[in-house]
Amino acid sequence: MENTEGTNRNREKLTAQEFERAFDLYYKNVRNFLYYKTSQSELAEDVAQDAFVKLWETRDKIDKSSIKAYVFTIANNLAINQLKRDQLKFKFLKLQGDKMDIKSPEYLLEMQEFDQKLQDTLAKVPDGAREVFLMNRIDGLKYREIAEMLGLSMKAVEKRMSRALAILREEIKGKF
């Protein structure tokens, strides 16, 4: 009975004072962790801030005894997502750069618009489908490799990829 009460007490909403204390205790470590992971100080700073924003937004759903692990997990996931977006953008721009050496202002504006539309569209794709899509299209992994890495069946990977492609086609169709 006491154990249940302790768990419920830990699940009480994180107060502003407790959040501030967690921020003071963990922010520098989270930022450093992200810097070591990405080698980009600005990205590490941005993602660390985003992680604490997300911590605040979900303060009523977390176990107070695992704040440190939770904020590091959030930061890691946000960094992975940002790096995947950057990698996708880089590959797209490289492909476009190979096709056209002279970039007019109109071309650059179109590329910015397309990039924004692509990022917005990828954000609409459910996490599992987006993960499979990026692993296949960016990392070049085969469905079998993705299935092994994620502990899924081949059919599940195919279904997730199909869903991601359907959303991307629908959202981008006729716009570029």
Side-chain angles (χ1 to χ4, degrees):
M1 186 91 163
E2 279 180 34
N3 207 6
T4 305
E5 287 177 18
T7 302
N8 289 339
R9 199 174 312 121
N10 285 341
R11 292 241 185 233
E12 292 174 7
K13 194 175 203 176
L14 189 68
T15 66
Q17 184 179 8
E18 291 168 326
F19 174 80
E20 235 181 271
R21 185 169 186 271
F23 184 88
D24 291 342
L25 281 172
Y26 306 126
Y27 179 79
K28 185 177 178 183
N29 291 335
V30 169
R31 188 193 63 225
N32 290 344
F33 164 75
L34 292 166
Y35 176 71
Y36 301 146
K37 184 176 188 69
T38 66
S39 300
Q40 299 176 38
S41 60
E42 286 182 25
L43 177 64
E45 190 78 31
D46 290 345
V47 172
Q49 290 174 11
D50 290 345
F52 279 93
V53 167
K54 187 146 182 100
L55 175 67
W56 178 253
E57 291 170 348
T58 58
R59 66 189 177 277
D60 55 343
K61 299 175 186 165
I62 62 171
D63 183 344
K64 290 180 184 181
S65 67
S66 61
I67 291 173
K68 181 178 181 181
Y70 188 72
V71 78
F72 271 87
T73 300
I74 292 170
N76 188 51
N77 291 341
L78 289 172
I80 289 169
N81 289 341
Q82 183 61 47
L83 291 171
K84 285 180 181 178
R85 277 193 298 275
D86 290 348
Q87 191 176 26
L88 179 63
K89 180 179 177 180
F90 175 75
K91 284 192 175 190
F92 175 76
L93 291 175
K94 183 171 178 351
L95 286 173
Q96 295 305 313
D98 292 344
K99 293 178 185 174
M100 181 181 241
D101 288 333
I102 301 171
K103 294 178 176 81
S104 69
E106 294 84 15
Y107 172 79
L108 293 174
L109 183 59
E110 283 182 22
M111 288 301 101
Q112 286 177 337
E113 288 174 5
F114 182 80
D115 177 55
Q116 188 59 50
K117 182 65 178 170
L118 181 61
Q119 287 186 29
D120 292 346
T121 301
L122 280 174
K124 292 178 183 178
V125 175
D127 289 342
R130 182 175 51 243
E131 182 178 30
V132 167
F133 174 80
L134 293 172
M135 290 174 84
N136 176 257
R137 299 300 166 101
I138 301 301
D139 297 335
L141 298 175
K142 297 185 181 344
Y143 288 2
R144 177 186 43 75
E145 296 169 319
I146 296 169
E148 289 173 7
M149 290 177 75
L150 299 178
L152 300 170
S153 68
M154 286 280 290
K155 284 289 183 195
V157 170
E158 290 170 4
K159 185 175 180 178
R160 287 181 180 190
M161 179 59 107
S162 176
R163 182 156 188 212
L165 290 172
I167 292 169
L168 289 167
R169 279 189 202 107
E170 182 63 32
E171 289 291 322
I172 295 180
K173 166 179 80 173
K175 303 212 169 131
F176 289 94

